[in-house]
């Protein structure tokens, strides 16, 4: 994919570096963005394959394919790690963020191009360590939450969990560096006249995400370091027999973990805002409300973490607080949903593929949001905790919703990135296959979860068979949809050339004012935005 | 351009301070969390800093159940002598657990404890307990281990706890290396020097 992509980038450039210098020592925000997207594709194939293997095992009761239960746990763990840290974050923040934040604010590149390069290669190194962790020893069978005592040296004595911890350390360091780069770029390098309140909403989304990364990831790094020294160097932060407390890990992990789900979904909000506005040929309804709704989600996201751990035995008052605080998040997310609908209202809507994906995103996010309100009730959550209802909820609201937003962004910007038109008919088919596939996969999991089916177990009693079978059929449809996507990507490289602004008058942001594909250097003279309307 | 580079560097430096602050906060949370649990009785931490019982003894009674657990690394048998007792609120009571060393050598353990429901923690006071110190049993030795406690009558004045009829006191014995003797299990021994909230009352 990389090689094919290269050929189209650079017709306008005078001197191009050689292959090694260009791709391994890259300081160009577009090339680094491309590298991130390639890593995301690779990790998505591996992480997706793991989930399909899990669904294959769960298609019927009994043990069919995975008789090593530790291996099952490793699959569940690696699927979570890969999808969160190596698929969604690289694609949306590293990929689209790197590509389009400088283009949208009129900057020639990121503020620290070499730090950008280090960010990417730290992530790549983290991916290598994660792969090593699964093939050395028994693998990390801890779940992506890495709770001790299961993750302690007593129950995972080999080096696997240590490799996993170091993989997350590297991925975290990569994201922190990237976040600093984005914040500095957005604060200091906007085109003249583009005030904070005139930035495109995607730039707003990346700015807020970068702040969340900056506040949440160091806490994860600290907690992981404690776990690492507990396992290897004789400390006892989380070892109850020696005075530690495993529940402290849960607090630290979820103090990071809850903002992490907003780190995943806020860039998706940004992409969807751009797409909905473009294909409704209207500015986004309530631009400032949209921007500050994202900020509010980010802020409130830091004070709701304990809703992930309602079962540890909080007092009624604590549970009441975390229930109420969690439900408050529905207000700014509601502002976003209704503003998207109001943007479409009376607009001249074009059902291009990115817009289809935006509709799909809004539907999935609303379904997941509704079950989120259900789960926010601590009394209900104690019952649903660790059931498939939770699995269905978070896959709807952050996993497949995020993936649909990524697809939306991909089809929206692929013309700008490689200068070619994707095959429209095939891409529409791909949307419908994928959309039906994920819904058939995850909607029945609400029912199995309601009936009490637990997470992270490779077997289940026969009464759960029906919906599990449906869910596995859905996974097969999703797999076909994924295959179709890669065929679409492949065919795009031989598609017709696109215009500089392929979406017409609805596309008002700065990236549509430059050539397609985007030349190697852009905005060498910053555009003057003085007196222009807000980007949306 | 130079001025923008300077500005970029200043912004980045400020952001690094943010990052360092959050790392510091994550480590600071360890002692803060400990302090919070001790002060508020969160997580069912009973009060252990009491010298004697309360002045008044109520007519109301409450049932205290006894639970015992043992970490597989410690080759002991450990059971409460009585399953449950009914005490008047404010009354000091002595209860016993019995432990037996099933191994062929000395073994030392420390018991961790809490009460459920957790909200009862702040009203459950231990005056003296075998869990305040390490316990060493020689091969085959059987020992009765006492705990002296009372339930604070204030429990009736708290709307969250006045409906309680039963409190469960639970212990888990973990293997520890005795302070003076050299260790034979390297991993546990290595951990012995960092004990965050081991009860210090003796």
């Amino acid at each position: 994919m990389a090689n094919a992509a290269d050929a189209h980038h650079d017709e306008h450039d005078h001197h191009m570096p050689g292959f090694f210098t260009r791709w391994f020592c890259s300081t160009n925000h577009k090339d680094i963005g491309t590298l991130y997207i390639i890593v995301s594709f690779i990790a998505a194939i591996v992480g997706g394959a793991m989930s399909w293997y899990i669904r294959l095992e769960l298609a019927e009761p009994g043990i069919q394919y995975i008789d090593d239960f530790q291996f099952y746990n490793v699959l569940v763990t690696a699927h979570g790690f890969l999808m969160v840290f190596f698929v969604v974050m690289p694609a949306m923040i590293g990929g689209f963020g790197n590509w389009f934040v400088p283009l949208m604010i009129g900057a020639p590149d990121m503020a620290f191009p070499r730090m950008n390069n280090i960010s990417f290669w730290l992530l790549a190194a983290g991916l290598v360590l994660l792969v090593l962790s699964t093939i050395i020893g028994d693998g990390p069978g801890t779940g992506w939450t890495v709770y001790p005592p299961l993750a302690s040296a007593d129950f995972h004595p080999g080096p696997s969990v240590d490799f996993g911890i170091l993989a997350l350390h590297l991925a975290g360091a990569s994201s922190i560096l990237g976040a600093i780069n984005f914040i500095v770029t957005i604060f200091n390098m906007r085109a003249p006249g583009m005030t904070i309140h005139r930035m495109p909403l995607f730039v707003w989304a990346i700015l807020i995400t970068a702040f969340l990364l900056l506040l949440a990831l160091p806490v994860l790094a600290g907690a992981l370091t404690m776990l690492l020294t507990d396992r290897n160097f004789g400390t006892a932060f989380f070892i109850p027999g020696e005075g530690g407390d495993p529940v402290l890990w849960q607090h630290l992990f979820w103090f990071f973990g809850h903002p992490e789900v907003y780190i995943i979904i806020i860039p998706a909000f940004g992409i969807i805002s751009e797409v909905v506005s473009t294909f409704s040929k209207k500015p986004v309804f309530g631009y400032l409300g949209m921007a500050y709704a994202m900020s509010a989600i980010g802020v409130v996201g830091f004070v709701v973490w304990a809703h992930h751990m309602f079962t540890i035995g909080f007092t009624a008052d604590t549970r009441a607080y975390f229930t109420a605080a969690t439900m408050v998040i529905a207000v700014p997310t509601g502002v976003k949903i209704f503003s998207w609908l109001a943007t479409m209202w009376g607009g001249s809507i074009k059902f291009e593929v990115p817009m289809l994906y935006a509709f799909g995103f809004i539907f999935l996010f609303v379904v997941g949001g509704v079950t989120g309100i259900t789960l926010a009730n601590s009394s209900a959550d104690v019952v649903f905790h660790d059931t498939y209802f939770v699995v269905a909820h978070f896959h709807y609201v952050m996993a497949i919703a995020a993936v649909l937003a990524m697809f939306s962004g991909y089809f929206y910007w692929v013309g700008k990135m490689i200068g070619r038109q994707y095959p429209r008919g095939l891409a529409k088919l791909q949307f419908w296959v994928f959309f039906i596939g994920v819904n058939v996969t995850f909607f029945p999991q609400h029912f199995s979860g309601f009936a009490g089916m637990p997470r992270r177990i490779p077997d289940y009693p026969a009464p759960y068979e029906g919906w599990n079978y449906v869910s596995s059929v859905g996974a097969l449809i999703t797999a076909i949809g994924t295959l179709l996507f890669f065929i679409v990507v492949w065919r795009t490289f031989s598609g017709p050339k696109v215009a500089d602004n392929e979406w017409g008058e609805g596309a008002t942001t700065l990236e549509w004012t430059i050539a397609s594909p985007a030349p190697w250097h852009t905005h060498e003279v910053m555009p003057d935005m003085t007196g222009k309307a807000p980007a949306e | 351009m130079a001025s923008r580079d300077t500005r970029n560097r200043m912004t980045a430096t400020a952001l690094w301070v943010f990052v360092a602050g959050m790392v510091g906060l994550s480590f600071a949370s360890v002692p803060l969390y400990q302090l919070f649990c001790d002060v508020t009785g969160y997580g069912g931490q009973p009060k252990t800093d009491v010298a004697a019982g309360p002045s008044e003894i109520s007519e109301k009674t409450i049932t205290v159940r006894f639970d015992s657990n043992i970490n597989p690394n410690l080759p002991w048998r450990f059971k409460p002598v009585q399953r449950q007792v009914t005490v008047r609120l404010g009354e000091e009571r002595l209860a016993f657990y019995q432990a037996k060393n099933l191994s062929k050598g000395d073994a030392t353990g420390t018991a961790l404890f809490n009460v459920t429901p957790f909200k009862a923690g702040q009203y459950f006071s231990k005056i003296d307990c075998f869990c305040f110190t390490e316990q060493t049993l020689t091969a085959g030795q059987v020992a009765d281990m006492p705990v002296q406690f009372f339930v604070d009558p204030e429990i009736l004045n708290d709307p969250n706890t006045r409906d309680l009829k039963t409190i469960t006191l639970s212990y888990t014995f973990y293997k520890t290396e005795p302070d003076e003797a050299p260790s034979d299990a390297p991993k546990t021994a290595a951990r012995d020097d960092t004990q965050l909230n081991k009860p210090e009352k003796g």
Side-chain angles (χ1 to χ4, degrees):
Chain A
M1 274 169 276
N3 297 346
D6 298 355
H8 306 287
H9 274 309
D10 35 26
E11 285 116 0
H12 308 265
D13 295 295
H14 335 287
H15 72 102
M16 286 296 300
F19 179 83
F20 181 84
T21 314
R22 177 168 178 194
W23 293 107
F24 288 82
C25 310
S26 181
T27 52
N28 181 298
H29 72 102
K30 303 183 193 80
D31 287 353
I32 292 175
T34 305
L35 288 171
Y36 270 114
I37 292 174
I38 292 167
V39 162
S40 170
F41 277 4
I42 294 169
I45 294 170
V46 180
M50 287 172 165
S51 68
W52 295 318
Y53 197 32
I54 291 169
R55 281 303 341 156
L56 187 65
E57 173 57 52
L58 292 174
E60 41 187 293
I63 297 300
Q64 278 74 235
Y65 302 95
I66 306 174
D67 49 7
D68 176 357
F69 298 155
Q70 172 69 10
F71 178 63
Y72 183 85
N73 290 343
V74 170
L75 280 181
V76 170
T77 309
H79 168 73
F81 278 156
L82 278 172
M83 290 304 193
V84 169
F85 291 99
F86 297 96
V87 176
V88 177
M89 287 171 69
M92 294 220 262
I93 307 167
F96 296 141
N98 261 310
W99 251 98
F100 293 104
V101 164
L103 291 187
M104 284 177 157
I105 64 174
D109 204 311
M110 296 286 283
F112 304 109
R114 275 179 236 178
M115 195 162 92
N116 208 5
N117 175 288
I118 287 182
S119 295
F120 172 76
W121 287 106
L122 281 176
L123 185 86
L127 185 57
V128 171
L129 283 185
L130 187 69
V131 171
L132 282 178
S133 84
T134 60
I135 58 180
I136 290 176
D138 293 334
T142 59
W144 88 287
T145 51
V146 209
Y147 280 7
L150 180 58
S152 70
D154 286 346
F155 298 99
H156 272 87
S160 301
V161 173
D162 299 314
F163 271 98
I165 289 172
L166 292 172
L168 293 195
H169 261 312
L170 287 188
S174 153
S175 291
I176 291 174
L177 291 173
I180 290 176
N181 217 340
F182 277 119
I183 295 173
V184 174
T185 308
I186 295 171
F187 274 178
N188 292 349
M189 296 177 62
R190 295 187 311 276
M194 182 177 281
T195 59
I196 286 271
H197 284 172
R198 286 180 181 175
M199 297 191 310
L201 280 174
F202 179 68
V203 179
W204 261 103
I206 292 290
L207 179 66
I208 292 161
T209 306
F211 270 108
L212 295 187
L213 285 166
L214 214 56
L215 293 171
L217 277 170
V219 177
L220 175 72
L224 285 170
T225 307
M226 292 178 208
L227 190 61
L228 195 68
T229 57
D230 267 15
R231 289 176 51 81
N232 297 294
F233 304 119
T235 59
F237 291 102
F238 309 123
I239 303 170
E242 288 151 50
D245 186 350
V247 174
L248 174 62
W249 167 268
Q250 297 190 24
H251 281 288
L252 289 173
F253 181 84
W254 286 115
F255 185 83
F256 145 80
H258 195 76
E260 172 69 22
V261 305
Y262 296 124
I263 287 165
I264 285 173
I265 210 66
I266 287 180
F269 289 162
I271 294 172
I272 297 305
S273 296
E274 302 297 336
V275 168
V276 167
S277 152
T278 296
F279 295 100
S280 306
K281 282 196 199 151
K282 277 174 68 189
V284 158
F285 178 88
Y287 164 82
L288 273 185
M290 289 293 254
Y292 284 99
M294 284 193 283
S295 311
I297 292 169
V299 171
V300 182
F302 274 101
V303 291
V304 299
W305 75 91
H307 68 215
H308 295 271
M309 35 196 290
F310 276 141
T311 53
I312 69 159
F314 290 120
T315 58
D317 291 345
T318 315
R319 287 165 48 162
Y321 161 72
F322 279 107
T323 295
T326 304
M327 287 190 176
V328 162
I329 295 179
V331 176
T333 45
V335 167
K336 298 204 71 71
I337 299 287
F338 287 115
S339 295
W340 286 322
L341 297 182
T343 308
M344 295 175 196
W345 185 261
S348 149
I349 297 179
K350 270 203 298 190
F351 289 91
E352 295 281 355
V353 180
M355 190 62 165
L356 291 179
Y357 269 111
F359 279 118
F361 170 88
I362 293 170
F363 172 77
L364 293 176
F365 190 74
V366 169
V367 172
V370 168
T371 54
I373 294 296
T374 312
L375 288 170
N377 291 280
S378 68
S379 311
D381 182 78
V382 168
V383 180
F384 291 131
H385 189 86
D386 266 349
T387 66
Y388 262 79
F389 191 81
V390 176
V391 175
H393 157 69
F394 72 75
H395 276 93
Y396 260 91
V397 80
M398 61 162 267
I400 49 175
V403 170
L404 258 62
M406 282 156 58
F407 279 145
S408 181
Y410 175 82
F411 286 112
Y412 184 55
W413 281 315
V414 66
K416 187 55 64 184
M417 291 192 284
I418 63 180
R420 302 274 173 169
Q421 171 69 56
Y422 56 83
R424 277 194 160 88
L426 197 59
K428 276 185 184 164
L429 176 71
Q430 191 267 335
F431 164 76
W432 284 109
V433 173
F434 195 87
F435 182 72
I436 292 169
V438 290
N439 278 290
V440 173
T441 306
F442 290 107
F443 212 84
Q445 295 184 3
H446 291 115
F447 309 142
S448 353
F450 236 91
M453 181 169 159
R455 295 168 72 176
R456 294 176 173 161
I457 309 278
D459 194 5
Y460 52 85
Y464 296 132
E465 180 174 11
W467 289 122
N468 268 293
Y469 186 75
V470 174
S471 185
S472 291
V473 170
L476 179 64
I477 301 172
T478 311
I480 295 168
T482 311
L483 183 68
L484 274 175
F485 175 71
F486 285 102
I487 295 173
V488 168
V489 171
W490 184 252
R491 292 266 309 275
T492 307
F493 287 104
S494 50
K497 286 189 186 299
V498 291
D500 292 351
N501 182 355
E502 62 174 308
W503 306 123
E505 62 175 292
T508 54
T509 41
L510 276 177
E511 79 269 32
W512 304 109
T513 62
I514 58 171
S516 288
W520 211 47
H521 293 299
T522 41
H523 296 319
E524 283 168 291
V525 178
M526 281 190 156
D528 189 355
M529 304 295 287
T530 315
K532 301 237 173 94
E536 292 303 329
Chain B
M1 283 307 274
S3 76
R4 191 209 270 146
D5 280 355
T6 320
R7 231 158 34 115
N8 285 355
R9 249 179 259 129
M10 278 170 56
T11 316
T13 311
L15 295 172
W16 275 115
V17 173
F18 249 123
V19 172
M22 288 309 289
V23 173
L25 207 61
S26 71
F27 280 91
S29 72
V30 176
L32 289 176
Y33 176 78
Q34 192 55 52
L35 188 68
F36 180 77
C37 294
D38 285 347
V39 171
T40 60
Y42 259 64
Q45 282 294 310
K47 283 193 175 168
T48 54
D49 54 350
V50 278
S55 45
E56 47 153 343
I57 296 180
S58 161
E59 287 306 308
K60 295 259 170 54
T61 61
I62 195 161
T63 301
V64 177
R65 289 188 186 144
F66 299 94
D67 171 51
S68 66
N69 305 279
I70 196 141
N71 183 283
N73 290 332
L74 185 64
W76 287 9
R77 198 183 60 209
F78 175 56
K79 296 279 179 223
V81 173
Q82 63 293 303
R83 263 288 150 223
Q84 60 180 45
V85 295
T86 302
V87 294
R88 289 194 293 164
L89 295 176
E91 175 196 6
E92 281 181 42
R93 182 62 77 95
L94 196 60
F96 286 94
Y97 278 72
Q98 192 177 61
K100 181 179 185 187
N101 184 348
L102 303 173
S103 73
K104 294 204 171 66
D106 293 0
T108 302
T110 306
L112 296 186
F113 48 88
N114 73 350
V115 296
T116 39
F118 292 164
K119 61 189 178 184
Q122 54 184 316
Y123 302 107
F124 194 94
S125 298
K126 290 182 177 184
I127 299 164
D128 206 354
C129 177
F130 64 89
C131 54
F132 291 172
T133 54
E134 287 178 0
Q135 303 290 330
T136 302
L137 295 183
T138 56
Q141 186 187 355
V142 180
D144 278 349
M145 298 186 168
V147 50
Q148 191 179 14
F149 65 92
F150 65 89
V151 180
D152 193 333
E154 282 296 306
I155 199 167
L156 292 175
N157 298 331
D158 182 341
N160 286 322
T161 54
R162 64 171 154 233
D163 59 325
L164 283 181
K165 301 274 182 290
T166 311
I167 297 176
T168 304
L169 174 61
S170 174
Y171 288 96
T172 305
F173 249 110
Y174 289 90
K175 186 183 172 80
T176 43
E177 296 304 322
D179 288 336
E180 63 276 24
S183 67
D184 50 351
K187 193 193 286 168
T188 329
R191 282 180 185 150
D192 206 39
D193 52 358
T194 317
Q195 296 175 345
L196 289 174
N197 68 344
K198 204 158 123 183
E200 289 138 7
K201 302 278 169 188

